[in-house]
Amino acid sequence: HLSNLRELRLASLPVPPDWLRRFLSETQLLSLTALDLSDIPNLGPALAAGLQGAPHRRFTRLNVAGVRLLSGELK
């Protein structure tokens, strides 16, 4: 049902960091091009690790406003 989902808004929801890391690395929802994780401050490390292991993801919009990211995580 969701294989063609292009946009996912999780803003301000209690997203578990481990779930996000696994979700990004899995090959489900490959049509997803927009992800909103705004206002979930604790996702920084999981987001950085998840994106590092997700070369198959092609986001054209990624909203991480309010997510704490350290400079070491951005490298």
Side-chain angles (χ1 to χ4, degrees):
H1 296 61
L2 300 175
S3 63
N4 292 321
L5 184 72
R6 294 185 184 273
E7 185 171 334
L8 182 59
R9 294 197 60 197
L10 301 172
S12 301
L13 294 175
V15 176
D18 287 339
W19 176 87
L20 178 65
R21 192 178 307 115
R22 283 191 316 272
F23 171 75
L24 290 172
S25 65
E26 292 174 354
T27 56
Q28 298 172 342
L29 301 180
L30 292 177
S31 296
L32 189 68
T33 58
L35 181 60
D36 184 351
L37 299 170
S38 59
D39 299 318
I40 313 173
N42 66 318
L43 290 184
L47 177 63
L51 288 175
Q52 208 170 28
H56 57 285
R57 296 286 179 191
R58 300 286 184 253
F59 291 116
T60 56
R61 287 183 294 147
L62 181 61
N63 187 350
V64 294
V67 176
R68 278 187 236 120
L69 293 163
L70 303 175
S71 59
E73 295 166 349
L74 296 175
K75 293 183 179 182

